[in-house]
Amino acid sequence: SSIGDTKLLVMLKGFLNNLGLDDALFSDECLIEIYDVANSSYGLNSDEPYPVKIAFEKIANHLNRKKTLDKNSYYFYVLKKHGVVG
């Protein structure tokens, strides 16, 4: 993986840790896929602040059973595909 990917993964794992999640649950591929989905779903012209951070907040809420993700959402699909959720 490139240096860019390494820096990105450190940042993404930082988001997870700040949200009280164990980054060991998530493979690097899973994190990058979530990052790509978050960025593509908002587009570059959005006023939405930090779409990736919001994505991880939604995922954290789901994993902490606070507010579940829609089973049809792309984030849920990614988590299921990578074995984070059953």
Side-chain angles (χ1 to χ4, degrees), residues 26-78:
F26 299 83
S27 66
D28 291 354
E29 293 80 16
C30 180
L31 292 176
I32 293 206
E33 195 166 342
I34 291 166
Y35 174 82
D36 289 343
V37 170
N39 279 326
S40 66
S41 62
Y42 288 105
L44 296 172
N45 311 339
S46 167
D47 332 339
E48 194 70 47
Y50 310 114
V52 177
K53 190 166 180 280
I54 291 167
F56 280 112
E57 285 167 359
K58 288 179 179 175
I59 289 165
N61 284 338
H62 182 83
L63 294 176
N64 294 328
R65 301 189 182 343
K66 286 186 188 145
K67 184 173 184 232
T68 54
L69 288 166
D70 179 350
K71 297 277 191 273
N72 297 320
S73 80
Y74 206 80
Y75 296 123
F76 188 83
Y77 165 77
V78 172

